Amino acid sequence: MRFVALLFPDVTQLDLTGPVQLFSRLPGATVDLAWHDTRPVPTDAGFSIVPTVAFADAPPADVLMVPGGQGAFELLADDVALDFVRAQAAGVRYVTSVCTGAFVLGAAGLLRGKRATTHWASHPLLELLGAVPERARVVRDGNVITGGGVTSGIDFALTVAAEVYDAATARAVQLVMEYDPRPPFDAGSPTSPEADPEQVERLLADNRRNRGPVVARAAERLRS
């Protein structure tokens, strides 16, 4: 079972490394991290990750995964990266994303008419790319599986593992990873009782202002 994950500058590293850690523990799984070349790629956390393969040399995937982060929005105008995503998606069993990686799938034309999710602060913008936004930690529509923001990637990866293997295998990996989240605060989503409403509105407004035009241009490229 071969997983190919897109790697790019300013990726949110947990979007990538959380699911990759889980996928790497699945029986017989191989995980490749693909980028334009194999030089170290800086993440949003201040350290770099080395791709295992360049786009030109990447093997066909069984599962394609696109993580998110601010860098994902730079890819919306990167024709080489989008062509790589399209080419991989044509032969995979599952097309997947975590967080704002969904916008890369959308810009590649892979979310038209598909239910999908992403980070809550960018969620309303998915519709611009033809997706049907759905509020959930993980959303599956056919062979497209999308995860919400950042930590949702672990839930997402367990969902993918259960689909590709079976629930027993997914549970076994969950136990080995001791994935038993019990956060000390109840502020993890905009509807959580301890979430700051002003922060919610500020982040939504920031994303509309800063990311909205980028997504709109990607939507125009799709239409043309």
Side-chain angles (χ1 to χ4, degrees):
M1 181 60 58
R2 185 174 293 277
F3 295 84
V4 173
L6 196 65
L7 178 59
F8 50 85
D10 210 15
V11 64
T12 294
Q13 65 85 19
L14 189 57
D15 287 1
L16 173 70
T17 56
V20 164
Q21 179 66 50
L22 195 149
F23 293 154
S24 70
R25 291 179 176 271
L26 294 169
T30 301
V31 181
D32 279 304
L33 308 180
W35 180 232
H36 285 283
D37 53 53
T38 56
R39 289 175 292 183
V41 175
T43 72
D44 69 346
F47 59 83
S48 295
I49 296 176
V50 180
T52 62
V53 68
F55 287 159
D57 302 317
D62 296 298
V63 177
L64 172 68
M65 186 192 82
V66 183
Q70 181 57 37
F73 293 91
E74 300 298 323
L75 297 186
L76 303 193
D78 184 335
D79 288 330
V80 174
L82 293 178
D83 284 345
F84 173 77
V85 169
R86 292 187 191 101
Q88 284 282 340
V92 299
R93 289 176 59 184
Y94 294 97
V95 176
T96 74
S97 67
V98 177
C99 197
T100 53
F103 289 93
V104 178
L105 297 184
L110 301 173
L111 292 186
R112 290 191 182 101
K114 295 286 188 178
R115 293 180 296 107
T117 191
T118 188
H119 191 284
W120 63 264
S122 297
H123 203 271
L125 299 175
L126 271 180
E127 193 171 12
L128 295 175
L129 296 173
V132 181
E134 182 172 313
R135 296 277 186 184
R137 292 278 282 181
V138 184
V139 172
R140 178 182 176 184
D141 190 336
N143 76 329
V144 176
I145 303 175
T146 52
V150 193
T151 61
S152 301
I154 304 295
D155 296 23
F156 151 87
L158 287 167
T159 301
V160 172
E163 288 289 336
V164 175
Y165 290 80
D166 51 51
T169 300
R171 285 194 294 267
V173 176
Q174 179 181 5
L175 179 59
V176 168
M177 291 180 61
E178 198 177 350
Y179 179 57
D180 186 23
R182 300 180 189 185
F185 308 108
D186 192 0
S189 83
T191 58
S192 298
E194 294 185 53
D196 181 351
E198 291 185 2
Q199 182 185 13
V200 170
E201 289 305 316
R202 185 169 63 252
L203 288 174
L204 285 168
D206 286 348
N207 279 302
R208 284 194 299 269
R209 181 174 61 255
N210 298 324
R211 293 177 172 178
V214 178
V215 178
R217 287 193 293 272
E220 181 60 33
R221 284 162 61 89
L222 271 180
R223 287 192 291 270
S224 61

